[in-house]
Amino acid sequence: MTTYHAALAWVDGVVRQDVTLRCHGDRLSAVDADTQAPPDAQQLAGLVLPGIANAHSHAFHRALRARTHEGAGDFFGWRQRMYAVAGALDPDLYRELAVAVYAEMALAGVTAVGEFHYLHHNLDGRPYDDPNIMGHALASAAAEAGVRLTLLDTCYLRGGFDADLEGPQRRFGDGTPDAWAARASALTDHATLRNGTAIHSVRAVPASAMPTVHALAQQRGAPLHVHASEQPAENSACLHATGRTPTGVLADAGVLGPGTTVVHATHVTDDDVAALGTTGTGVCLCPTTERDLADGIGPASALARAGSRLCVGSDSHAVIDLFEEARAVELDERLATHQRGHHRPEALLEALTTSGQAELGWDVGLRTGALADFVAIDLSSPRTAGATAGTAAASAVFAASACDVTDVVVGGRPLVRGGHHATIDVPARLSGALAAVEEALG
Amino acid sequence: MTTYHAALAWVDGVVRQDVTLRCHGDRLSAVDADTQAPPDAQQLAGLVLPGIANAHSHAFHRALRARTHEGAGDFFGWRQRMYAVAGALDPDLYRELAVAVYAEMALAGVTAVGEFHYLHHNLDGRPYDDPNIMGHALASAAAEAGVRLTLLDTCYLRGGFDADLEGPQRRFGDGTPDAWAARASALTDHATLRNGTAIHSVRAVPASAMPTVHALAQQRGAPLHVHASEQPAENSACLHATGRTPTGVLADAGVLGPGTTVVHATHVTDDDVAALGTTGTGVCLCPTTERDLADGIGPASALARAGSRLCVGSDSHAVIDLFEEARAVELDERLATHQRGHHRPEALLEALTTSGQAELGWDVGLRTGALADFVAIDLSSPRTAGATAGTAAASAVFAASACDVTDVVVGGRPLVRGGHHATIDVPARLSGALAAVEEALG
């Protein structure tokens, strides 16, 4: 049984002082504020938050960071490199890159990642001898990096409403929804791995196939994630092909609901917002990627008001700094509306932590019985210095950076201490993996 | 004579390898690429850039960071606290806060700051015995923090087109343009201090007073900065009062030109863009403040195409991370236009460094004869790992953070080494100063 004592901790939506956190196995057995540090307790300075959830990741996009802005960087160049990397990874290299990326996330305070995984098959599109070898590579990578993984095994069946899979896309496809389900069903959970599901998009999955994905998610009680309305072109293609918005298609197919998370929801109509909110569908915002890809700014506060639980993801990993994602939910909406004050800092902290964890199927929070996953943020860095108990929550959201994470605990055990990963030299691992990707690209 | 040797350095707009930088006094006496490190050279790993310019600062706003989001934070709450802090600072406290804030900037790679300074007079509006005591406090603070200061002594004469100065604003006013000029003329330059000028805004300075400010700037060969078109309300008040846009008023008053920098230029018309560009007027963008204050997104690429030199500032210091400012110039324009690729990474690096320095009146760049001001960025942090000579420029702009600055050299002498300030415990100084501000606020 490990015990921690936090100077400040975010408990039940407020910052409390002198909080003792007792762990039993991988869960919290007691959380008590206004306590003296027990003699055996490990001290955590700064502000302790529940573990950060990175609810939307494409690990392999880390190989695109700072490499898609040549000239000034158009969308075509980005997409070309994305497919080139997607076409170059074998299971070993995919694993190696993912270890490094998940370890980078750990340093940034992420204790659980939702990997939207569709690099299923061989470079030529044929299944590997082990048809889940790529998923296993990710699971093994997350285990080595020490973070929980929700493997959102993604159904991807066509290149467009009226187009077959082409080139590297052939790796993504299982052919039929049943073949997808047969493969995805073979994956098994363990303490730090949840097998969830995903529909890539209304473009890549016909409406007729969606109930198959939904059924597997329901059967498992596992999350279902789906990209929707990231860019206007996607909306018009969908309207043209189906007469419905992407959200409308998902609603008709019966896949919305509290177990489902729509990713982006940038270009949604008022009816879409109502459909997502009234069904209790979660929404994952990825603001730094939405900036990088010129997607635009979605109606996050309207979605929250309508009833959607918000969470955040670093998606393409242009940067991995979930504090930047959380504040961008508010700040980008300010840019779009010319008004301040859409989201309380406490709501953004929930999106960053407990809500994101819930969308990934993990029960995390600083309370008895929850998983003992939490992070400490330095409140005496150049960015956060001067924070008090009263301003600590706002400082975490609006001032902190990934580099202010000092300690990360997963399942009661320290994963990051003093800003260093317990077992991995993260920069060295990243440079090794990225050099290997460049070599594979030729 | 100190000599440095950089693994990579940004010389004449390209990344060069193995660059020897020889300093003589406070200037560079030689810059040579593809050289072996001389035996006496100090090694700089990562990427060396010319010193970063923070071209727009209100030092006292640091006391607002993470303290204006209560509830969710409206503009009125922000303004109320801004005026409360402005009304609470005496010369000692202003100096103490500024030392800490300028030292925070040094850690972020800033070697020169443009302080848009208008807290001139006593709390009740009367001049201090030394009428420049507040400006001297800033000069002394910058000297202690080790960064160059361009003191943009700001003319501020009225509360609005039809309103007197009220409350804390009374500290800002000199009464008449001549009284402003008499006071501002008494300030003297030295090696790390330039005395520049500023017109607060078209709201706060009548057009008839602008030539006085411009004349002093011209006489000194010093910069003139001016806020313009930050928010739509400012535009409509100006149109209503004068029949002209803010840029139109500045053009009519004859104050545009290569020695002038317009700050924000967020809500400018096509005619404004042409007027700024054809006169060679510089533009300072402050994207993280423009996000925080819900200002909106300006037409940065149109301004650059028209002929304006761009630079960046952290303005209200919601965060002090000039890399975030530089990338936001591109990323926020992507959000507004739904297109990637407005600014080349090299152009953003210029805005961050040499262009910003020029707008503050400093001759900085990695070339013989320029001031020996430069910074080293870690290319093996979790954020930048995997960068190569070919991707280093884009990594600096699109992936690096303030916390990736390892070394800062000002005038040939090390100010920051290994991420630590040579003489100041920055977080301790910040918390002390911020606590003192809270106490002064009562």
Side-chain angles (χ1 to χ4, degrees):
Chain A
M1 184 164 122
T2 319
T3 302
Y4 298 84
H5 186 262
L8 297 173
W10 195 62
V11 180
D12 285 335
V14 291
V15 172
R16 303 294 304 269
Q17 303 195 31
D18 295 312
V19 179
T20 300
L21 300 146
R22 292 181 192 277
C23 307
H24 188 79
D26 63 354
R27 298 204 169 247
L28 286 162
S29 55
V31 177
D32 298 296
D34 307 315
T35 51
Q36 284 207 311
D40 62 333
Q42 295 185 33
Q43 289 288 348
L44 297 171
L47 172 66
V48 171
L49 298 174
I52 291 172
N54 192 352
H56 191 64
S57 163
H58 301 286
F60 75 96
H61 287 198
R62 177 63 177 81
L64 277 63
R65 183 184 297 177
R67 285 175 162 89
T68 66
H69 307 277
E70 293 78 14
D74 60 12
F75 182 72
F76 181 76
W78 183 90
R79 193 170 182 276
Q80 193 173 40
R81 182 164 170 97
M82 190 271 278
Y83 276 122
V85 175
L89 299 171
D90 65 19
D92 286 347
L93 187 49
Y94 196 30
R95 182 186 183 286
E96 194 50 31
L97 181 57
V99 170
V101 176
Y102 295 157
E104 181 182 350
M105 290 181 196
L107 293 182
V110 171
T111 62
V113 53
E115 179 70 26
F116 201 100
H117 163 59
Y118 52 80
L119 298 190
H120 300 306
H121 301 299
N122 224 310
L123 302 178
D124 60 5
R126 284 176 307 117
Y128 287 99
D129 289 346
D130 169 0
N132 278 314
I133 193 170
M134 294 291 266
H136 293 148
L138 293 169
S140 160
E144 183 175 348
V147 301
R148 297 184 199 274
L149 175 69
T150 298
L151 185 65
L152 300 161
D153 192 300
T154 303
C155 185
Y156 196 123
L157 299 172
R158 63 187 183 188
F161 287 99
D162 207 20
D164 292 336
L165 299 175
E166 275 187 5
Q169 289 179 333
R170 288 177 300 159
R171 303 194 73 178
F172 311 165
D174 286 289
T176 66
D178 288 345
W180 169 84
R183 188 184 48 69
S185 303
L187 293 158
T188 49
D189 291 358
H190 59 68
T192 60
L193 174 68
R194 291 219 69 181
N195 288 285
T197 66
I199 292 167
H200 180 274
S201 56
V202 295
R203 161 179 71 75
V205 177
S208 60
M210 293 176 184
T212 306
V213 181
H214 190 241
L216 180 59
Q218 293 289 100
Q219 179 193 321
R220 284 193 152 155
L224 189 166
H225 286 220
V226 53
H227 289 133
S229 291
E230 181 175 2
Q231 297 192 341
E234 176 195 340
N235 278 0
S236 25
C238 184
L239 274 169
H240 179 77
T242 69
R244 303 281 277 144
T245 64
T247 299
V249 170
L250 297 171
D252 292 352
V255 301
L256 298 184
T260 297
T261 306
V262 165
V263 182
H264 300 301
T266 309
H267 299 282
V268 283
T269 65
D270 292 349
D271 284 351
D272 292 341
V273 170
L276 294 168
T278 53
T279 54
T281 303
V283 173
C284 181
L285 305 160
C286 308
T288 68
T289 294
E290 290 150 12
R291 289 174 183 166
D292 189 293
L293 292 183
D295 294 339
I297 302 168
S301 59
L303 287 159
R305 274 196 308 276
S308 285
R309 183 156 59 177
L310 304 184
C311 59
V312 292
S314 65
D315 189 355
S316 68
H317 314 312
V319 295
I320 295 180
D321 185 339
L322 283 297
F323 300 103
E324 182 64 31
E325 306 293 345
R327 61 178 157 262
V329 170
E330 168 69 24
L331 297 178
D332 286 359
E333 199 158 356
R334 291 185 188 179
L335 286 179
T337 60
H338 298 180
Q339 282 209 318
R340 298 179 103 236
H342 301 278
H343 306 267
R344 293 181 312 116
E346 296 79 7
L348 297 170
L349 273 186
E350 267 177 39
L352 183 69
T353 60
T354 49
S355 293
Q357 297 283 357
E359 297 300 305
L360 296 178
W362 302 107
D363 176 29
V364 171
L366 300 184
R367 60 186 155 64
T368 304
L371 289 167
D373 296 2
F374 42 89
V375 304
I377 314 301
D378 187 359
L379 292 183
S380 60
S381 83
R383 291 157 290 282
T384 55
T388 62
T391 63
S395 289
V397 173
F398 285 101
S401 280
C403 56
D404 294 321
V405 170
T406 57
D407 293 83
V408 178
V409 173
V410 179
R413 292 195 297 194
L415 177 65
V416 173
R417 277 187 174 170
H420 294 282
H421 194 284
T423 57
I424 297 175
D425 178 342
V426 180
R429 203 69 180 259
L430 279 165
S431 8
L434 292 166
V437 171
E438 290 308 315
E439 203 179 305
L441 288 168
Chain B
M1 187 165 119
T2 320
T3 303
Y4 297 84
H5 187 263
L8 297 174
W10 195 62
V11 180
D12 286 335
V14 290
V15 173
R16 303 294 303 270
Q17 303 195 31
D18 295 313
V19 179
T20 300
L21 300 146
R22 290 181 194 278
C23 308
H24 187 78
D26 64 353
R27 298 203 169 248
L28 286 163
S29 55
V31 177
D32 299 295
D34 306 317
T35 51
Q36 283 206 313
D40 61 334
Q42 296 186 32
Q43 290 288 348
L44 297 171
L47 172 67
V48 171
L49 299 174
I52 291 172
N54 193 352
H56 191 64
S57 164
H58 300 285
F60 75 96
H61 287 197
R62 177 63 177 81
L64 278 63
R65 182 184 298 176
R67 286 175 162 88
T68 66
H69 307 279
E70 293 77 14
D74 60 13
F75 182 72
F76 181 75
W78 183 89
R79 193 171 183 278
Q80 193 172 39
R81 182 165 170 96
M82 191 271 277
Y83 276 121
V85 175
L89 299 171
D90 63 20
D92 286 347
L93 187 49
Y94 197 30
R95 182 186 184 286
E96 194 50 32
L97 181 57
V99 170
V101 175
Y102 295 156
E104 180 183 351
M105 290 181 196
L107 293 182
V110 171
T111 63
V113 55
E115 179 69 27
F116 202 99
H117 162 59
Y118 52 79
L119 297 190
H120 301 307
H121 301 299
N122 223 311
L123 301 179
D124 61 5
R126 285 177 305 118
Y128 287 98
D129 291 344
D130 169 1
N132 277 314
I133 194 171
M134 294 291 266
H136 294 148
L138 293 169
S140 161
E144 182 175 349
V147 301
R148 295 184 199 275
L149 175 69
T150 298
L151 185 66
L152 300 160
D153 192 298
T154 304
C155 184
Y156 196 122
L157 298 172
R158 62 185 184 188
F161 288 99
D162 206 20
D164 292 335
L165 298 176
E166 274 188 6
Q169 290 179 332
R170 287 177 300 157
R171 306 193 71 177
F172 311 164
D174 287 289
T176 67
D178 288 345
W180 169 83
R183 187 184 49 69
S185 302
L187 293 157
T188 49
D189 290 357
H190 60 68
T192 60
L193 174 68
R194 291 220 68 182
N195 288 286
T197 66
I199 292 168
H200 180 274
S201 56
V202 295
R203 163 179 70 75
V205 177
S208 60
M210 293 178 186
T212 306
V213 182
H214 189 240
L216 181 59
Q218 294 288 100
Q219 180 193 321
R220 285 192 151 155
L224 189 166
H225 286 220
V226 52
H227 290 132
S229 291
E230 181 175 3
Q231 297 194 342
E234 176 194 340
N235 279 1
S236 26
C238 184
L239 275 169
H240 179 77
T242 69
R244 303 281 278 144
T245 63
T247 299
V249 170
L250 297 172
D252 291 351
V255 301
L256 298 183
T260 297
T261 307
V262 164
V263 182
H264 299 302
T266 308
H267 299 281
V268 284
T269 65
D270 291 350
D271 285 350
D272 293 340
V273 171
L276 294 168
T278 54
T279 54
T281 303
V283 173
C284 181
L285 305 161
C286 308
T288 68
T289 294
E290 291 151 11
R291 288 174 183 165
D292 189 291
L293 293 183
D295 294 338
I297 302 168
S301 59
L303 287 159
R305 274 195 308 275
S308 286
R309 184 156 58 178
L310 304 184
C311 59
V312 293
S314 66
D315 189 358
S316 68
H317 314 313
V319 295
I320 294 180
D321 185 339
L322 283 297
F323 301 101
E324 183 63 31
E325 306 292 345
R327 63 177 156 261
V329 170
E330 167 69 24
L331 297 178
D332 286 358
E333 199 160 355
R334 291 184 187 178
L335 286 179
T337 61
H338 297 180
Q339 282 210 319
R340 298 178 103 235
H342 302 277
H343 305 267
R344 293 179 313 115
E346 295 80 6
L348 297 171
L349 273 186
E350 268 177 40
L352 181 70
T353 60
T354 50
S355 294
Q357 297 282 356
E359 298 300 306
L360 296 179
W362 302 106
D363 176 29
V364 170
L366 300 184
R367 59 186 156 64
T368 304
L371 290 167
D373 296 1
F374 43 88
V375 304
I377 315 301
D378 187 0
L379 292 183
S380 60
S381 81
R383 289 157 290 283
T384 55
T388 63
T391 63
S395 288
V397 174
F398 285 102
S401 279
C403 57
D404 295 320
V405 171
T406 57
D407 294 82
V408 179
V409 173
V410 178
R413 292 195 295 193
L415 177 65
V416 173
R417 277 184 174 172
H420 295 282
H421 194 283
T423 58
I424 296 175
D425 177 342
V426 181
R429 202 70 181 258
L430 279 166
S431 18
L434 292 166
V437 171
E438 291 307 315
E439 204 179 305
L441 287 168

